[in-house]
Amino acid sequence: MIYLPPLRRLLLPSLLFLACVLYFRSTSKLPTARQQLANLITRQPELSPEGERVPADQAGNGHQIVLKDVTKNYKSPMRNLYYPYFQNIILANNGGLKEIKHTPPAENPYISQLLQCPIKANPITDHIRLPHQLYNISLISKNETENERVGALNPAIISLPHWSENQYLLVHRVATDGSHQQNLLCEANICYTDEKEARPGEKPCNETDVELFKGRPGFRCATPPMQINVPSTPAENCGKGTGVLMDVPGFHDPRIFWSGKGEPLMMANSQSRYACFGLWMIDIRKLYFPLDTLLSNNPFKPSLGPLMSYPSFTEITRNPRNTRSQIEKNWMIFGSDRGDHYVHYDITPTKRSFSKLLGGGITTVNLTDPYEIPCLEADNKPSPDGTDATWHQGTNSLMLILCDRSDPNCKRDASNEVFFSIIHHKHKNAFSLPLRYERYVIMWSATPPFSMLGMSQHPILMANETANGFDAEDNWKDDPEQEKLLAAGKRGKDNWAVFTYTVSIAWAWGRSMDEPQDKIVGYLDDEVILGIGVDDKDMVYTRIVARDLLECMRACPGRASVPLSNEGEYASGTMEIPGFKMREIEDEKRQKKEKQEKEGASTEGSGEGAEAVAIPPVEVSTIAPGEQEAMATAVIEEGRAGDDNAGAEGMSGEDVDISQTEALIEEVIEEES
């Protein structure tokens, strides 16, 4: 039998032990439990009004950068953390440096299949006309009886998951008297009038549909349009001519799209915290609760829906601060289904800029490859009617696999993944008002730096669309139907609208078992749906197979070759570099020379000058193999330091400071020699 002593025998030893513990704790200097917990939290120092840059070697000692105010204090991370173009310098087996070969887009077989143009361009307007029709969008829901609303514009459309009762989500802007901005949202469906044109799961048009759309297919709200609201945002800096916009409440020009994580997002213009108007992002589930219910109730597998990256109205920044404009608009997101997201700000014939989204609207500096040869430059030519034109981003982007979903040999890999979007060549009349928006498709690489791979050879019109600035005879030149009408003595086709512009692009509804995270990816034989605005007062749509939209492209030049020869001509900066940076590099060299001349004159005047020593050219091949790794590391470390200095001086986010990299390589080679 086991004998257990009474508990009272342990009482005295327990009290003595407790007394010893209390005495030890009262006399020792060990931190308390609360202090230990507090020590686990990094103590952030207060920042100066202009922000602070902390050396990397101090970051591990509790001295880290804090974002007190992202619009003023934030300094972007060092460029080298996100800027991969040091890969152009690689270590060669012969102990020197050599270039990495970049395959021109035209040599990619997946891209070359789209370079053929099966449709002849209009000899007068230079457009190609696709056989796909534009159809009307009606805001009258199935339960409404009032008259059609007027003044609806900028239709942004996304398709809903396959288990949804309705097919699409529509967000659009409403024309107001100018005292406020108003935007509406509804779920919608497309009906058909010809069974041959019906897609799986679609319903035929009922009597009301036939009356609304005059016997043609159409896109109609299935739920009553509801107004969507976001918190008002203040405008920090509206200059002359824009101050009247500061007090106009509400957001405008919304764009909706699926992120690569399966989030339904909306980007919209609203008053900015650092300028007059900026771009803000929010998850649509916070504005329209039925969508949250839909995504969290997948009948085929348990799900709470994708996590929210933007649960509140978040402004997307542009860094550094001096690169920001008073009015920002038409930004575009690259969002792959692998998670990382980037924002593409703008594109012109001579430059473009994009940054990586780091969270909370914060971005890096510009990450554009400086050696990418501009692709729009060849199209910066006078228009057929002599009007001035500028390039503007139009829609969001979609990821595309350059083969057919129906092809059993189609395997997704890095060589056939791309992004594509629609941009506009905006023409103005003599009063600087919009004359027409010419539609071009741009194809981008699917990974940073998102190089331009190809773009439409000609602006694109749909079957019943016309281009403003040209009369009916010019618009329908060489059109077979027009020729038949005129030959029969009948009235020919007229011009249709003043101008049209493409607001959104999305993969069309109807793909089997299409999950939210799949909504951003499609194949060449998948359909896309385009939301198109008409004359700032009406809306239409069209559906088109991706291949038909992307055919008749021309390949972009790709990346410039930057050889690092044994003579070190790249290191010495004597080689002309094509690409975005060519003009900037020449300007920087000229400024550097002028500065050196001024410093030389100052030194001679003080009597402290010394005769310059001529240094012979250094052959890169003389670098010892054992020193290669140290040299490459030194280049990168020096580049990081240079990025810090550039950030402190407000380096332009539109351009990448490659002359700085040239100088660093030159210095390292001279030191190693």
Side-chain angles (χ1 to χ4, degrees):
M1 182 176 183
I2 300 175
Y3 174 73
L4 297 177
L7 292 178
R8 63 176 180 270
R9 296 183 181 180
L10 301 176
L11 181 60
L12 182 60
S14 299
L15 292 175
L16 291 175
F17 177 76
L18 180 61
C20 292
V21 170
L22 293 175
Y23 175 78
F24 176 76
R25 293 293 296 173
S26 63
T27 56
S28 67
K29 297 183 179 180
L30 294 176
T32 63
R34 182 185 296 273
Q35 292 172 336
Q36 291 178 2
L37 180 61
N39 290 337
L40 294 176
I41 303 175
T42 303
R43 295 299 178 183
Q44 308 286 6
E46 290 294 323
L47 289 181
S48 65
E50 297 303 323
E52 183 178 7
R53 174 68 77 175
V54 179
D57 58 353
Q58 298 181 18
N61 300 322
H63 191 86
Q64 296 182 1
I65 300 172
V66 62
L67 308 183
K68 188 175 182 180
D69 182 348
V70 298
T71 65
K72 292 184 178 179
N73 293 335
Y74 180 68
K75 295 293 186 183
S76 295
M78 292 179 290
R79 186 193 308 276
N80 295 326
L81 297 177
Y82 302 96
Y83 191 71
Y85 314 123
F86 279 103
Q87 66 182 351
N88 192 64
I89 305 173
I90 63 171
L91 304 179
N93 294 329
N94 63 358
L97 300 176
K98 70 176 183 180
E99 65 172 324
I100 293 181
K101 299 294 184 182
H102 294 268
T103 303
E107 296 181 11
N108 185 328
Y110 291 103
I111 297 175
S112 62
Q113 64 177 319
L114 301 173
L115 303 182
Q116 304 300 319
C117 197
I119 300 176
K120 184 180 178 181
N122 184 310
I124 305 297
T125 68
D126 194 43
H127 290 79
I128 60 171
R129 189 180 302 278
L130 301 182
H132 305 76
Q133 296 278 334
L134 296 177
Y135 299 106
N136 287 331
I137 296 176
S138 173
L139 302 179
I140 298 179
S141 70
K142 60 183 179 181
N143 298 322
E144 287 185 312
T145 58
E146 72 263 22
N147 293 329
E148 179 80 13
R149 294 180 176 88
V150 296
L153 60 152
N154 290 7
I157 302 170
I158 57 173
S159 60
L160 294 172
H162 63 92
W163 66 87
S164 172
E165 179 182 354
N166 298 309
Q167 301 170 347
Y168 295 98
L169 194 71
L170 168 68
V171 172
H172 67 90
R173 183 180 174 187
V174 176
T176 66
D177 59 5
S179 62
H180 68 288
Q181 304 282 1
Q182 185 177 358
N183 299 270
L184 301 180
L185 175 150
C186 74
E187 295 182 30
N189 294 310
I190 293 177
C191 68
Y192 65 87
T193 55
D194 186 348
E195 291 186 0
K196 297 179 180 179
E197 299 179 356
R199 275 68 168 179
E202 285 186 356
K203 298 179 180 179
C205 295
N206 57 32
E207 293 182 2
T208 307
D209 296 330
V210 172
E211 181 180 353
L212 280 174
F213 303 127
K214 297 182 171 44
R216 304 176 76 235
F219 184 104
R220 184 181 179 185
C221 286
T223 60
M226 58 166 284
Q227 183 170 337
I228 50 177
N229 299 299
V230 297
S232 297
T233 58
E236 179 180 309
N237 180 24
C238 286
K240 184 178 180 180
T242 57
V244 68
L245 304 174
M246 293 181 65
D247 300 323
V248 179
F251 65 93
H252 64 279
D253 292 346
R255 303 289 194 268
I256 62 175
F257 52 92
W258 291 97
S259 77
K261 303 174 185 178
E263 307 159 291
L265 299 178
M266 181 183 77
M267 180 183 286
N269 282 89
S270 187
Q271 283 87 346
S272 169
R273 295 176 299 173
Y274 60 75
C276 189
F277 272 91
L279 275 297
W280 299 70
M281 203 126 73
I282 189 171
D283 196 300
I284 304 175
R285 288 172 288 180
K286 286 295 185 179
L287 306 175
Y288 184 59
F289 296 132
L291 183 58
D292 189 19
T293 302
L294 175 69
L295 295 183
S296 59
N297 287 275
N298 187 336
F300 299 94
K301 64 179 181 181
S303 174
L304 296 177
L307 296 176
M308 294 188 185
S309 300
Y310 298 92
S312 59
F313 206 39
T314 304
E315 184 168 17
I316 308 302
T317 61
R318 185 171 185 166
N319 290 303
R321 187 178 178 86
N322 68 323
T323 64
R324 302 166 181 171
S325 302
Q326 277 202 340
I327 297 181
E328 303 279 19
K329 60 185 304 183
N330 297 331
W331 292 356
M332 175 182 66
I333 301 295
F334 288 127
S336 74
D337 54 355
R338 295 183 176 91
D340 289 339
H341 286 70
Y342 298 78
V343 55
H344 197 278
Y345 300 111
D346 49 29
I347 182 171
T348 73
T350 58
K351 63 183 178 182
R352 69 184 185 93
S353 58
F354 79 94
S355 299
K356 183 175 182 178
L357 283 164
L358 302 178
I362 298 171
T363 59
T364 66
V365 294
N366 181 26
L367 301 179
T368 305
D369 186 349
Y371 298 114
E372 178 184 338
I373 302 176
C375 190
L376 293 183
E377 199 160 22
D379 289 284
N380 197 31
K381 56 188 177 183
S383 61
D385 57 350
T387 56
D388 294 330
T390 54
W391 293 96
H392 297 267
Q393 293 181 165
T395 70
N396 52 291
S397 67
L398 295 176
M399 179 170 276
L400 172 68
I401 313 303
L402 293 174
C403 52
D404 292 341
R405 184 187 295 269
S406 57
D407 183 358
N409 296 319
C410 175
K411 304 297 180 183
R412 177 180 177 180
D413 58 44
S415 65
N416 59 20
E417 290 181 343
V418 298
F419 281 109
F420 74 103
S421 66
I422 291 175
I423 67 171
H424 294 129
H425 207 198
K426 181 180 178 181
H427 293 255
K428 298 180 181 180
N429 59 21
F431 301 99
S432 295
L433 297 175
L435 181 67
R436 67 177 177 274
Y437 292 82
E438 293 181 333
R439 183 184 300 118
Y440 286 79
V441 179
I442 296 284
M443 185 189 299
W444 322 75
S445 61
T447 55
F450 305 109
S451 302
M452 293 179 66
L453 303 176
M455 66 175 295
S456 304
Q457 293 184 31
H458 307 278
I460 300 171
L461 290 175
M462 299 304 160
N464 53 342
E465 189 177 12
T466 54
N468 194 27
F470 303 96
D471 58 25
E473 181 180 356
D474 290 342
N475 262 302
W476 300 106
K477 185 74 172 178
D478 294 342
D479 180 70
E481 293 185 15
Q482 180 80 336
E483 293 176 355
K484 290 180 180 179
L485 290 173
L486 296 178
K490 298 181 179 179
R491 180 180 176 180
K493 299 179 181 179
D494 292 327
N495 279 355
W496 177 64
V498 175
F499 61 85
T500 58
Y501 48 93
T502 310
V503 177
S504 69
I505 183 171
W507 294 110
W509 188 83
R511 301 191 302 188
S512 177
M513 303 304 289
D514 210 5
E515 300 292 334
Q517 61 270 22
D518 302 326
K519 289 293 185 180
I520 197 171
V521 184
Y523 291 76
L524 280 175
D525 55 349
D526 288 341
E527 275 193 325
V528 295
I529 181 169
L530 305 183
I532 299 172
V534 182
D535 294 349
D536 277 344
K537 63 182 181 182
D538 209 344
M539 306 182 296
V540 294
Y541 79 95
T542 189
R543 286 181 298 186
I544 180 172
V545 175
R547 181 188 297 276
D548 296 339
L549 187 63
L550 271 71
E551 280 184 328
C552 196
M553 301 195 84
R554 66 170 179 84
C556 292
R559 194 174 196 269
S561 177
V562 188
L564 301 179
S565 66
N566 289 340
E567 289 73 21
E569 59 180 16
Y570 172 71
S572 63
T574 60
M575 185 184 69
E576 185 180 83
I577 302 172
F580 285 119
K581 284 302 298 176
M582 183 170 61
R583 298 176 181 85
E584 287 77 9
I585 289 175
E586 294 301 323
D587 290 341
E588 289 169 1
K589 287 181 179 179
R590 176 180 51 79
Q591 294 171 4
K592 183 178 179 181
K593 182 178 180 180
E594 292 176 354
K595 182 179 179 181
Q596 290 174 345
E597 290 175 352
K598 290 181 180 180
E599 292 176 350
S602 175
T603 304
E604 291 175 2
S606 62
E608 298 176 358
E611 183 178 355
V613 178
I615 301 177
V618 179
E619 294 187 359
V620 180
S621 59
T622 61
I623 301 174
E627 299 174 353
Q628 296 170 13
E629 184 175 357
M631 173 185 169
T633 303
V635 170
I636 294 175
E637 292 300 326
E638 289 286 349
R640 292 177 178 173
D643 182 71
D644 294 346
N645 296 333
E649 296 170 3
M651 182 174 60
S652 171
E654 298 287 347
D655 307 305
V656 182
D657 195 353
I658 297 307
S659 62
Q660 182 185 53
T661 306
E662 292 176 346
L664 292 173
I665 296 174
E666 181 180 1
E667 291 172 7
V668 172
I669 292 177
E670 290 177 354
E671 290 174 2
E672 291 295 327
S673 64

